[in-house]
Amino acid sequence: MGKTLVVVESPAKAKTIKKYLGSGYEVLASKGHVKDLPKKMGVDIEKGFQETYEIVPGKEKVLAELKSAARDAADILLATDPDREGEAIAWHLAEELTGKPNKAKRVEFNEITKNAVQKGVASPRTLDKHLYDAQRARRVLDRIVGYDVSALVWSKLAFGLSAGRVQSVALRLIVDREREIEAFVPDEYWNVGAQLAKTEKNGGKKQPFFARLAQQDGKKIEVKDGETAARVKRDLESFAYRVAKIGKSERKRRPYAPYTTSKLQQDAVNRLGFGAKRTMQVAQGLYEGIDLGKDGGAVGLITYMRTDSTRVSPDALAAVREYIEQRYGKSTLPPEPNVFKSKKGAQDAHEAIRPTSLEHTPEAVRKHLKDEQFKIYKLIWDRFVASQMKDAIFDQTSVDIEAMARDNGALYMLRASGRVLKLAGWLEIYGTTDSTQAGDNDEAKTDGDNAKEPEEGEATLPELTEGESLELTTPPGVIAEQKFTQPPPRYNEGSLVRELEERGIGRPSTYAEIISKVQARDYVEKVDGRSFRPTVLGKMVVDGLVGSNLDFMDPTFTSSMELELDAVEAGSEERIDLLSRFYKKFREQLDKSKKGKRWNPEPEPTGETCDACGPQSDNEKLRALAPGEMMKRWSKKGWFLGCSNYPKCKNTRDLGPDGTGAAKPREAGVDCDKCGKPMIIRSGRFGEFLACTGYPQCKNARPVPLGVACPKCGGDLIEVRPKKKGGKTFYGCSRYNDETVKCDFKLWQKPIAEPCPACGAKFLVMAGTKTKPMIACADKECGYKRSVDQPASASAHGHADEHAAAAMHA
């Protein structure tokens, strides 16, 4: 008798499950989808949105192996992931392996543990048509919008561009946020306060604390200009201070719920610097199984990682409560398990993301995990354990302080607040400070200089009594700091996922894909390696689609579509009805939008005469033309200057993707080494270069010197771009092609015309990474380095002191 064939999605998952099922089972992997829509449309709208599926290129061998195993199998169990996508994969597998999808046996594993796998295999079910119909509906919607709207963007903007149903909405959010930032007008305000201390007798040690200005003559005061700030500061410097009122209260902080997919992605971005896609890849590996070096194989460490539920099974609750009592003591355990509400509309099909076993502590499994796996696992572990601990309790104190003129004239009131941790509770895991969970709150607040401000109420106050006198401590005494309100922050991956979730756009299984596709196109760029900023092209695409009045670009419409897809999954709406209703209106809107004008901007005159055509040209055809004007134009590669005589004159000059490149050449202060005429700095498609003013008679051009002399021969260091595609740019001597000198000096890091303050080397280099760039000494033995935003003088003294100390020690 043949074995039972179990088909899963990934080889890693297959290996783990095989260990739990034994010799009577053969476990193979489909390695994801085996069938999908073709590159062409693949949807016959006239025949009820009938799809044409094809074998995914490269999956022929995998499918052949599965079919061979299926022919000899006594039974076939389809154990793909427990969601819409997994159900659709199982549906296609059933067609290919059995030919009778309605009789296929489907099993689910919400966690890859021995108990869960054996329980799942023992309880097979039929394929859920509603579940895979919801996936089919989403796939067809995405294909219709992507196929037709991409063609619209091609015709209106530039060939080769694309648009997606949900990704375009996410792009709109990024563009809308950028427009908010551009339109933002900062308001001036002043932080005014005083550092005070009790008047200690007998020379006792003073404990200073800070109090902020709150009122003047019983009314709230907001200082919004320097003149008022200076007046208030003068007053406070001469006034007398006393404690007017002390208020004490007990504050509680409830623990956070265990992770949902979106909260995990948000925290991974903000706490670990992991992107959404990377986070899900790491979590997938933890779910499918890690070889812990015992019991003969891998163990699934976490439950299924695509979920919007905060629900936890009774068995898991009992286990974590037992663990908390043993590890942290009974005093940290609430009388009853903490219960958390899932967000409105959550599908609740799977539990929250949690460890599968409390025996596998992060410390115990660390040696078996890669660094990124350990970090994600510890996030999940800490969050889950902390979720079932007691509230953190603080003693909160607020102090009102009167500042009075010594002649009993003007009266100000300042306020100080502080708190003391009374019971750590769940903060036993997160630390005794009120750490910000970026997945639940905004990122840590910073002032205009990016210096982190303390959270309200974090200060430690001395023992105070009402009516006692206080005195200013100097320095700093009275402080009056000018501030400006800040624009809303750009989205990063974490905050964009949060926005998508709050608006009901996408589902746990799609967040990472949405973020990935937004970045894959030239519609956004990352600022400082983390924040999304739309490119000019991205803005044009969004403006064109929004201006075309297409419903799918409305976030509210996209959110309602997600609810309709949920209705298909629940069986309360038919797939065909949803698609027909959507397509009818979409087609009407699309046909109207095709009649409008193109979306790219009209050429702008610059007043600059083209230097490649007209009487001065050495080309007979171009010399016959009247001199053209260089016009500012746009293509999908960015802004450029082009001659008005185009296409007869094809003279162009690149202005960069944002159009900020120099519209006119700049003086270089260098003479041409061929004809002696002055050279100018021009912008080309590969950046700036030196060009002779004798053009077109003299066509000499060369790289712009970086202002650093070659340490080997005294020539100029320049940027050298490789001739071969894919070659790496380097920095070398301008004489590398000189037949008389032939200097071969080369650097891989860009030199900077600044001497090293530590060792005296004549130049520094750009070092570090894209996300953490540094300025460093080219001499590795020196070791000097600083961040790019740190001025040279700020670090020079410190390094000089280090070298002096080293010399004294020697």
Side-chain angles (χ1 to χ4, degrees):
M1 185 175 178
K3 296 181 179 181
T4 296
L5 173 63
V6 180
V7 184
V8 297
E9 288 187 43
S10 79
K13 190 174 176 181
K15 184 178 179 182
T16 307
I17 291 173
K18 171 65 177 173
K19 179 189 72 169
Y20 296 137
L21 294 179
S23 59
Y25 294 82
E26 182 174 9
V27 186
L28 297 178
S30 70
K31 299 180 181 178
H33 282 273
V34 293
K35 296 172 75 173
D36 198 5
L37 296 176
K39 287 186 177 181
K40 58 184 180 181
M41 183 67 162
V43 178
D44 191 333
I45 294 168
E46 301 299 324
K47 293 184 178 179
F49 301 92
Q50 181 177 323
E51 310 102 310
T52 299
Y53 289 104
E54 296 180 350
I55 304 302
V56 175
K59 289 293 184 70
E60 295 84 0
K61 186 177 179 180
V62 172
L63 192 56
E65 182 184 4
L66 291 173
K67 286 183 175 181
S68 176
R71 282 193 293 269
D72 299 329
D75 204 357
I76 301 174
L77 301 178
L78 304 175
T80 49
D81 285 351
D83 55 18
R84 291 177 188 170
E85 210 70 28
E87 203 74 10
I89 294 173
W91 172 51
H92 285 143
L93 286 170
E95 286 184 326
E96 293 295 320
L97 303 185
T98 71
K100 300 176 181 178
N102 59 323
K103 295 183 179 180
K105 294 181 179 179
R106 176 82 161 99
V107 296
E108 288 185 338
F109 310 131
N110 288 313
E111 58 184 69
I112 310 302
T113 59
K114 186 174 183 178
N115 181 54
V117 168
Q118 292 178 344
K119 184 177 178 181
V121 167
S123 308
R125 62 169 173 80
T126 58
L127 277 170
D128 187 334
K129 183 177 185 299
H130 300 311
L131 200 57
Y132 66 72
D133 266 359
Q135 190 275 345
R136 291 172 66 193
R138 178 187 290 279
R139 189 75 182 91
V140 169
L141 283 171
D142 290 345
R143 175 52 60 94
I144 290 172
V145 173
Y147 202 84
D148 288 341
V149 176
S150 291
L152 175 68
V153 177
W154 293 0
S155 66
K156 295 294 185 181
L157 207 52
F159 182 79
L161 300 178
S162 57
R165 183 178 66 88
V166 182
Q167 303 92 278
S168 295
V169 180
L171 177 61
R172 180 181 181 177
L173 296 177
I174 294 171
V175 171
D176 288 348
R177 174 59 58 87
E178 192 67 21
R179 295 261 163 78
E180 286 182 59
I181 294 170
E182 292 170 349
F184 181 81
V185 178
D187 289 327
E188 180 184 9
Y189 70 98
W190 288 73
N191 275 345
V192 181
Q195 183 163 287
L196 304 167
K198 295 172 62 173
T199 305
E200 298 290 350
K201 298 179 180 179
N202 303 322
K205 187 175 181 180
K206 296 178 180 178
Q207 183 183 346
F209 63 95
F210 189 77
R212 295 184 184 274
L213 178 66
Q215 295 181 0
Q216 180 180 6
D217 296 326
K219 296 180 180 179
K220 182 180 179 181
I221 180 174
E222 293 182 354
V223 181
K224 294 189 175 182
D225 60 84
E227 185 178 343
T228 303
R231 174 181 57 79
V232 173
K233 186 173 186 292
R234 286 194 301 271
D235 286 348
L236 292 176
E237 287 174 337
S238 62
F239 282 16
Y241 295 85
R242 77 174 187 90
V243 177
K245 181 181 177 182
I246 299 176
K248 293 186 177 181
S249 61
E250 186 178 87
R251 298 286 180 90
K252 294 182 178 181
R253 282 206 61 205
R254 195 165 186 255
Y256 300 121
Y259 278 129
T260 59
T261 302
S262 68
K263 289 295 188 287
L264 174 61
Q265 290 174 349
Q266 292 165 43
D267 264 11
V269 170
N270 293 310
R271 293 164 67 88
L272 303 178
F274 289 7
K277 184 177 180 180
R278 181 185 179 190
T279 299
M280 296 310 291
Q281 287 173 338
V282 175
Q284 180 91 32
L286 294 172
Y287 163 70
E288 291 177 348
I290 300 295
D291 190 343
L292 300 183
K294 59 181 181 179
D295 299 330
V299 177
L301 291 182
I302 64 170
T303 54
Y304 193 55
M305 63 286 161
R306 294 185 178 94
T307 178
D308 54 7
S309 174
T310 59
R311 176 176 57 82
V312 176
S313 71
D315 289 346
L317 283 177
V320 74
R321 285 175 61 82
E322 181 181 352
Y323 173 83
I324 291 169
E325 183 172 353
Q326 292 178 354
R327 177 73 183 269
Y328 298 101
K330 195 170 183 178
S331 62
T332 63
L333 194 65
E336 298 293 332
N338 293 327
V339 179
F340 302 91
K341 290 184 178 179
S342 296
K343 70 179 182 66
K344 185 179 180 181
Q347 294 178 312
D348 210 44
H350 309 296
E351 288 185 60
I353 306 171
R354 61 168 176 81
T356 57
S357 171
L358 275 299
E359 294 179 5
H360 303 312
T361 66
E363 295 76 19
V365 300
R366 182 168 194 167
K367 63 182 179 181
H368 303 289
L369 302 179
K370 297 176 183 176
D371 185 56
E372 60 182 7
Q373 291 175 326
F374 173 75
K375 288 177 178 178
I376 292 291
Y377 185 59
K378 193 169 190 310
L379 270 186
I380 294 168
W381 176 279
D382 288 351
R383 180 88 166 205
F384 176 60
V385 175
S387 72
Q388 289 302 320
M389 297 177 76
K390 277 187 176 180
D391 296 349
I393 302 176
F394 297 87
D395 279 336
Q396 185 84 25
T397 302
S398 63
V399 181
D400 290 350
I401 299 161
E402 288 182 346
M404 299 173 290
R406 300 188 188 276
D407 59 1
N408 293 322
L411 175 68
Y412 293 104
M413 194 271 281
L414 291 81
R415 181 166 292 137
S417 60
R419 65 182 174 190
V420 176
L421 184 63
K422 187 176 179 181
L423 177 66
W426 63 280
L427 290 180
E428 184 82 18
I429 289 179
Y430 280 177
T432 55
T433 59
D434 184 8
S435 60
T436 299
Q437 285 283 289
D440 296 87
N441 307 308
D442 292 335
E443 293 182 57
K445 297 179 180 178
T446 59
D447 63 21
D449 299 319
N450 293 322
K452 188 175 179 181
E453 294 182 337
E455 294 286 333
E456 184 70 23
E458 281 188 352
T460 301
L461 299 177
E463 287 292 330
L464 299 171
T465 56
E466 292 183 0
E468 75 174 313
S469 297
L470 302 172
E471 61 183 41
L472 282 173
T473 62
T474 54
V478 179
I479 298 173
E481 295 178 313
Q482 185 186 33
K483 303 278 185 177
F484 292 93
T485 54
Q486 298 296 305
R490 291 188 175 96
Y491 290 113
N492 61 26
E493 289 197 34
S495 57
L496 184 56
V497 166
R498 181 167 67 241
E499 188 74 14
L500 293 172
E501 181 190 32
E502 289 176 354
R503 289 175 176 261
I505 299 170
R507 286 295 180 259
S509 60
T510 63
Y511 295 138
E513 180 190 12
I514 294 168
I515 299 292
S516 180
K517 287 187 175 180
V518 165
Q519 295 180 79
R521 302 178 178 127
D522 294 327
Y523 299 158
V524 299
E525 57 189 1
K526 278 194 171 182
V527 182
D528 299 327
R530 57 183 279 115
S531 300
F532 293 130
R533 178 172 64 191
T535 62
V536 173
L537 178 58
K539 289 180 179 179
M540 288 182 185
V541 169
V542 167
D543 291 344
L545 292 174
V546 171
S548 297
N549 296 314
L550 296 166
D551 278 350
F552 82 90
M553 286 298 292
D554 182 353
T556 303
F557 178 86
T558 304
S559 174
S560 66
M561 182 59 68
E562 294 291 352
L563 296 178
E564 292 193 60
L565 289 168
D566 291 346
V568 173
E569 179 177 332
S572 57
E573 181 164 9
E574 289 297 322
R575 178 182 71 94
I576 301 297
D577 293 342
L578 183 157
L579 293 173
S580 299
R581 188 169 57 252
F582 168 82
Y583 186 74
K584 181 181 179 182
K585 192 170 184 181
F586 170 74
R587 192 72 244 177
E588 292 173 356
Q589 295 172 342
L590 192 68
D591 290 342
K592 285 182 181 179
S593 65
K594 289 180 179 179
K595 299 174 183 177
K597 63 179 184 178
R598 287 182 61 83
W599 300 343
N600 53 316
E602 295 295 324
E604 299 176 19
T606 65
E608 180 184 346
T609 302
C610 175
D611 57 7
C613 61
Q616 82 281 4
S617 178
D618 62 351
N619 181 297
E620 185 177 341
K621 291 183 178 180
L622 295 181
R623 188 165 56 243
L625 298 172
E629 181 182 4
M630 298 299 284
M631 308 289 287
K632 186 176 180 180
R633 300 176 183 273
W634 181 88
S635 76
K636 69 175 183 177
K637 292 182 179 179
W639 294 96
F640 68 100
L641 293 180
C643 181
S644 58
N645 283 329
Y646 180 86
K648 293 180 180 179
C649 177
K650 297 181 180 179
N651 184 25
T652 61
R653 189 159 73 246
D654 182 57
L655 294 178
D658 57 0
T660 59
K664 292 185 178 182
R666 308 195 311 274
E667 293 182 4
V670 177
D671 291 335
C672 177
D673 56 349
K674 302 291 185 183
C675 71
K677 290 186 178 181
M679 300 196 83
I680 51 178
I681 299 175
R682 290 186 179 278
S683 294
R685 60 181 299 190
F686 295 115
E688 293 187 331
F689 63 97
L690 287 177
C692 182
T693 54
Y695 180 89
Q697 285 75 23
C698 179
K699 297 182 180 179
N700 184 26
R702 65 175 191 260
V704 177
L706 298 173
V708 178
C710 173
K712 191 170 183 179
C713 73
D716 294 318
L717 292 188
I718 60 172
E719 182 178 4
V720 182
R721 293 180 177 270
K723 293 181 180 179
K724 292 183 179 179
K725 188 176 181 180
K728 189 176 180 182
T729 296
F730 66 92
Y731 303 90
C733 183
S734 59
R735 295 175 176 174
Y736 71 101
N737 273 337
D738 193 317
E739 293 299 329
T740 58
V741 180
K742 204 74 173 177
C743 182
D744 61 357
F745 179 79
K746 181 187 291 187
L747 276 173
W748 292 110
Q749 297 168 313
K750 185 176 181 179
I752 301 170
E754 179 187 325
C756 176
C759 72
K762 293 184 178 180
F763 63 89
L764 300 173
V765 295
M766 286 297 300
T769 63
K770 286 184 178 180
T771 55
K772 292 184 179 179
M774 303 289 291
I775 293 175
C777 184
D779 185 348
K780 294 181 179 180
E781 293 184 4
C782 170
Y784 171 80
K785 63 182 178 180
R786 71 172 191 267
S787 61
V788 293
D789 55 359
Q790 182 181 358
S793 58
S795 60
H797 297 297
H799 280 273
D801 290 345
E802 289 174 16
H803 280 265
M808 290 177 65
H809 180 72

